[in-house]
Amino acid sequence: MSTIKEDLRELPIPERSKAKTAADYHNIEIDLAGPANKEPLVDVQEYGIACKSMYSRPYAPYYRAFAEALETVYLRDTVAQKLVQANNILVRYGVEVLALDGFRPISLQVELWEHFMEQARQQLPEASLEDMQRFAAQFCSNPTNYRADDYRTWPVHSTGGAIDLTLRSLYDKQELFMGSIFDDADSISYTTHFESFELTSQSGIEARRNRRLLYHSMIAVGFANYPYEWWHFDFGSQMWVMNGNLSQAKALYGRTEVQD
């Protein structure tokens, strides 16, 4: 059971610099020989974690299934266990985490990068290729230069240490209102969006409370949030080091694969 006494929905999410994006973590060293990097990927459902693999479903926000999407969500063993710990905090609120995406094969990362580059072309039609890539990198790691032997080219979701998730009710299984849809390439997706101005609408207040609950429950068990996306958290990855302010630390997890 949770020992946190504060109502997490009343605790503001601290503002974080958005200077660094998914284009900026790649030079962080990974402890490739460490014991953590030998952890297997596990199906989160085996740990009692609710799962809805977003990229395998022909519904919003894409209205199509991606060809390379996995049918379930895989994470490193320790990361899955930490979601169980988060659920132990959340049970007093009558909610649980709902995993949307975790480990991605490189082929799926390529599909997603192409999607966000298309979003960039639509929103920034006069921009240079570099500016479009910078826009897309707010929401997706660029797999264009991927090499299996160079950790500086590995997308963070290829490690099993990155998780996209939301919250849902334990009672009716309905997802909580977060103020934006998953993977919305817009500033409304920034984690602190509803913290940055005075709210007058009930919907905005509800979104802020729910984002706070997700954020604080995940931070409490060791995750780091990516400030451009309220749904994205990391443990053990290069982005975990970048966003967790763990000075001089190495990432725990490198590229991996689902074992048959």
Side-chain angles (χ1 to χ4, degrees):
M1 294 293 291
S2 168
T3 59
I4 299 175
K5 299 188 182 301
E6 303 97 329
D7 187 336
L8 300 181
R9 298 166 297 188
E10 300 299 326
L11 299 179
I13 300 172
E15 184 64 48
R16 293 281 317 285
S17 169
K18 299 181 182 66
K20 294 182 178 180
T21 71
D24 297 311
Y25 64 78
H26 294 83
N27 287 326
I28 294 172
E29 191 175 352
I30 303 171
D31 187 9
L32 296 174
N37 196 43
K38 297 180 175 63
E39 284 184 23
L41 290 171
V42 297
D43 182 343
V44 298
Q45 295 175 103
E46 296 177 0
Y47 290 74
I49 301 300
C51 169
K52 183 173 74 172
S53 181
M54 289 297 290
Y55 301 121
S56 66
R57 300 163 57 84
Y59 309 116
Y62 297 102
Y63 299 100
R64 66 183 177 94
F66 286 81
E68 301 298 324
L70 303 175
E71 292 297 322
T72 189
V73 173
Y74 292 95
L75 292 171
R76 298 282 189 154
D77 182 74
T78 293
V79 184
Q81 291 182 46
K82 286 187 172 295
L83 293 185
V84 175
Q85 294 172 20
N87 272 347
N88 290 338
I89 294 172
L90 292 166
V91 67
R92 65 181 273 215
Y93 300 94
V95 302
E96 65 181 349
V97 297
L98 174 63
L100 304 177
D101 184 47
F103 166 80
R104 293 177 195 158
I106 299 301
S107 53
L108 174 57
Q109 189 71 27
V110 170
E111 289 185 275
L112 291 173
W113 178 253
E114 291 173 350
H115 165 81
F116 282 106
M117 282 297 289
E118 178 57 30
Q119 292 290 302
R121 284 187 282 270
Q122 292 179 15
Q123 296 190 38
L124 307 169
E126 306 299 324
S128 66
L129 176 61
E130 181 179 356
D131 285 341
M132 289 183 184
Q133 290 176 332
R134 187 177 297 111
F135 172 88
Q138 294 177 68
F139 306 102
C140 189
S141 298
N142 184 352
T144 304
N145 298 316
Y146 168 76
R147 286 177 45 191
D149 62 348
D150 186 352
Y151 71 83
R152 295 170 298 179
T153 70
W154 296 347
V156 69
H157 273 279
S158 72
T159 70
I163 173 70
D164 296 333
L165 75 171
T166 188
L167 298 175
R168 76 174 189 180
S169 167
L170 283 169
Y171 306 110
D172 61 13
K173 309 307 182 185
Q174 294 297 306
E175 294 177 34
L176 273 58
F177 177 65
M178 293 292 185
S180 82
I181 62 172
F182 170 70
D183 266 0
D184 194 352
D186 187 87
S187 61
I188 198 173
S189 294
Y190 297 175
T191 305
T192 57
H193 176 81
F194 293 101
E195 303 282 350
S196 57
F197 53 91
E198 184 176 351
L199 297 175
T200 58
S201 70
Q202 191 59 44
S203 61
I205 293 171
E206 182 68 11
R208 183 174 65 187
R209 284 167 59 83
N210 292 335
R211 288 192 187 193
R212 287 174 173 180
L213 184 56
L214 175 62
Y215 176 88
H216 289 298
S217 61
M218 293 292 284
I219 297 300
V221 298
F223 286 92
N225 172 249
Y226 179 50
Y228 283 98
E229 298 174 340
W230 58 260
W231 56 83
H232 182 109
F233 291 82
D234 290 91
F235 180 84
S237 69
Q238 291 167 298
M239 195 174 280
W240 174 66
V241 176
M242 182 179 81
N243 290 318
N245 293 319
L246 305 175
S247 61
Q248 307 303 313
K250 294 182 181 180
L252 304 178
Y253 302 131
R255 181 184 66 88
T256 189
E257 300 286 350
V258 176
Q259 300 300 313
D260 295 330

